[in-house]
């Protein structure tokens, strides 16, 4: 006896809840950006504050459609997150949550299970490639700024290893 295919269609209530979620995350991203900017999360390297508004739209609003197009939403939110961190947009916390929700939604709502696996693996591999490139670039910059060669266990390398470990656990959990 063949197994029935996995199919889920969001109800009107679920779609309305997704809209509320997207709006709440949008407001949260704006507040987080304002507070992160005041706290100078990125110091002098912070992008202009207007970039946080654009980022809040791109990272939060697609979640209103997360159950209808889970793969597309996950890719859009993930790319927005990677780009924002790369250019130092002063908002990382809500974007991180949005990416986790988007990845979870792929597993929970994508009807094509094989495609869901491919989307999640592609995002995770892309994240690790991005993370390694960013870590290498930042390590070189830090070494140049300190006028020393970054050692195998410099404080900066230790910090980057912590980031790598947290990302493995984060994406493994998603």
């Amino acid at each position: 006896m063949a197994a029935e295919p996995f199919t889920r269609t969001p109800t009107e209530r679920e779609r309305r809840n997704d809209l509320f979620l997207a709006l709440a995350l949008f407001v949260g991203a704006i507040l987080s950006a304002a507070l992160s900017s005041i706290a100078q999360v990125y110091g002098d390297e912070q992008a202009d504050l207007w970039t946080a508004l654009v980022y809040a739209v791109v990272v939060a609003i697609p979640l209103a459609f997360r159950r209808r197009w889970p793969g597309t939403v996950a890719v859009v939110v993930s790319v927005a997150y990677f780009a924002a961190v790369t250019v130092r947009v002063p908002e990382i916390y809500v974007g991180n949550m949005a990416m986790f929700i988007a990845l979870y939604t792929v597993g929970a709502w994508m009807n094509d299970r094989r495609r869901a696996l491919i989307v999640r693996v592609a995002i995770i591999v892309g994240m690790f490639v991005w993370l390694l490139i960013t870590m290498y670039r930042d390590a070189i910059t830090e070494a140049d700024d300190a006028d020393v060669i970054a050692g195998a266990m410099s404080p900066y390398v230790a910090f980057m290893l912590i980031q790598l470990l947290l990302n493995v656990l984060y994406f493994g959990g998603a």
Side-chain angles (χ1 to χ4, degrees):
M1 181 150 68
E4 290 189 34
F6 176 80
T7 57
R8 290 184 77 179
T9 303
T11 65
E12 283 300 315
R13 181 179 182 193
E14 289 168 332
R15 292 185 358 210
R16 187 173 49 252
N17 288 343
D18 289 345
L19 178 61
F20 292 141
L21 171 69
L23 291 174
L25 288 174
F26 174 75
V27 170
I30 296 299
L31 292 173
S32 174
L35 294 171
S36 294
S37 181
I38 292 167
Q40 297 184 358
V41 171
Y42 288 121
D44 294 338
E45 296 179 357
Q46 174 179 298
D48 293 332
L49 197 52
W50 67 266
T51 62
L53 178 60
V54 173
Y55 175 59
V57 168
V58 176
V59 82
I61 300 307
L63 292 175
F65 308 99
R66 71 188 184 101
R67 294 181 217 237
R68 287 185 240 175
W69 303 294
T72 302
V73 168
V75 169
V76 168
V77 169
S78 297
V79 168
Y81 178 79
F82 300 153
V85 173
T86 300
V87 299
R88 311 267 198 269
V89 172
E91 198 303 301
I92 54 176
Y93 305 107
V94 174
N96 210 330
M97 287 185 268
M99 191 166 56
F100 190 85
I101 291 167
L103 281 172
Y104 167 80
T105 303
V106 167
W109 282 89
M110 205 160 175
N111 290 326
D112 183 336
R113 306 313 293 155
R114 184 167 187 259
R115 183 171 283 156
L117 177 65
I118 291 168
V119 167
R120 286 182 291 189
V121 167
I123 289 171
I124 291 168
V125 167
M127 185 276 308
F128 278 106
V129 168
W130 166 81
L131 190 60
L132 290 172
I133 290 169
T134 303
M135 284 175 23
Y136 178 78
R137 183 199 65 206
D138 290 349
I140 296 300
T141 301
E142 287 294 316
D144 288 345
D145 289 347
D147 201 27
V148 296
I149 297 173
M153 270 305 147
S154 69
Y156 183 78
V157 171
F159 178 75
M160 286 296 106
L161 289 174
I162 290 170
Q163 295 301 313
L164 189 61
L165 174 64
L166 288 175
N167 277 287
V168 167
L169 295 174
Y170 173 84
F171 280 96

